[in-house]
């Protein structure tokens, strides 16, 4: 599973950085887009802290983030996830936690890790739609595009 999760989270980091670079290149300052990207960073951080047994992070799931705030937030979250995966051997375990509103749940860590990347992909899709609706050109963050890039079949 380690190889799978490394590839999944390397893709996630790549996709997050592609979106940030797209926003920077086109000088996009859009409150809803920034909020969605901030939500991705905050959720990734929150889930990582839960699965790694770290204290609850000081993040807001929905907030007004500037583009200057988003870049380091995403870089840090993506880096920490990759470090966690490198250092962890067993993801097939149950995790007891409380969600953001304090409700108790139990989920498998593998399911949480898959959810976290799918959650980010979902919101990156919303960002792409908002970019197009506001006259900007979104970037392709499909997993197969990432795979083609790392295999040297495609340059982006």
């Amino acid at each position: 599973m380690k190889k799978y999760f490394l590839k999944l989270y390397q893709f996630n980091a790549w996709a997050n950085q592609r979106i940030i670079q797209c926003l920077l290149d086109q000088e996009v300052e859009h409150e809803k887009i920034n909020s969605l990207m901030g939500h991705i960073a905050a959720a990734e951080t929150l889930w990582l802290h839960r699965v790694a047994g770290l204290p609850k992070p000081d993040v807001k799931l929905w907030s007004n983030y500037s583009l200057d705030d988003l870049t380091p937030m995403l870089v840090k979250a993506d880096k920490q996830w990759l470090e966690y995966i490198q250092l962890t051997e067993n993801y097939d375990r149950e995790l007891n936690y409380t969600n953001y509103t304090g409700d108790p749940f139990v989920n498998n860590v593998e399911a949480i890790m898959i959810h976290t990347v799918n959650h980010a992909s979902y919101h990156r899709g919303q960002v792409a739609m908002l970019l197009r609706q506001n006259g900007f050109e979104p970037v392709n963050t499909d997993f197969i595009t990432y795979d083609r890039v790392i295999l040297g079949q495609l340059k982006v």
Side-chain angles (χ1 to χ4, degrees):
M1 286 303 285
K2 182 177 282 207
K3 184 178 175 183
Y4 167 75
F5 282 125
L6 278 173
K7 189 165 191 173
L8 190 63
Y9 276 81
Q10 288 164 344
F11 153 71
N12 193 60
W14 172 86
N16 284 339
Q17 290 311 303
R18 293 253 310 151
I19 295 285
I20 292 298
Q21 195 58 55
C22 170
L23 300 177
L24 290 168
D25 289 348
Q26 297 181 68
E27 299 177 3
V28 178
E29 275 293 339
H30 188 278
E31 185 177 324
K32 184 62 177 168
I33 289 172
N34 288 10
S35 177
L36 285 165
M37 293 307 294
H39 178 69
I40 291 170
E44 286 184 13
T45 301
L46 188 59
W47 279 116
L48 174 71
H49 279 239
R50 286 177 184 154
V51 302
L54 300 170
K56 185 176 178 181
D58 184 24
V59 295
K60 293 184 174 101
L61 276 178
W62 293 105
S63 187
N64 269 335
Y65 292 99
S66 73
L67 199 49
D68 289 339
D69 295 331
L70 292 173
T71 302
M73 284 176 69
L74 285 163
V75 167
K76 182 179 179 183
D78 291 330
K79 180 178 183 250
Q80 288 178 327
W81 265 109
L82 289 167
E83 288 170 355
Y84 171 78
I85 293 165
Q86 288 283 8
L87 297 172
T88 304
E89 293 302 321
N90 181 23
Y91 317 105
D92 187 17
R93 62 183 173 83
E94 299 303 305
L95 179 69
N96 293 291
Y97 64 95
T98 56
N99 70 0
Y100 202 72
T101 59
D103 299 320
F105 288 96
V106 178
N107 288 100
N108 182 278
V109 170
E110 289 177 352
I112 290 168
M113 293 172 71
I114 293 166
H115 161 76
T116 302
V117 174
N118 282 335
H119 175 263
S121 293
Y122 170 77
H123 288 304
R124 284 191 299 264
Q126 290 178 311
V127 168
M129 182 183 67
L130 285 168
L131 284 167
R132 190 163 311 280
Q133 287 175 348
N134 286 278
F136 298 101
E137 188 61 35
V139 290
N140 182 330
T141 58
D142 289 345
F143 180 85
I144 198 65
T145 301
Y146 165 76
D147 199 51
R148 290 171 184 157
V149 169
I150 64 168
L151 292 173
Q153 298 173 1
L154 185 64
K155 291 192 186 290
V156 292

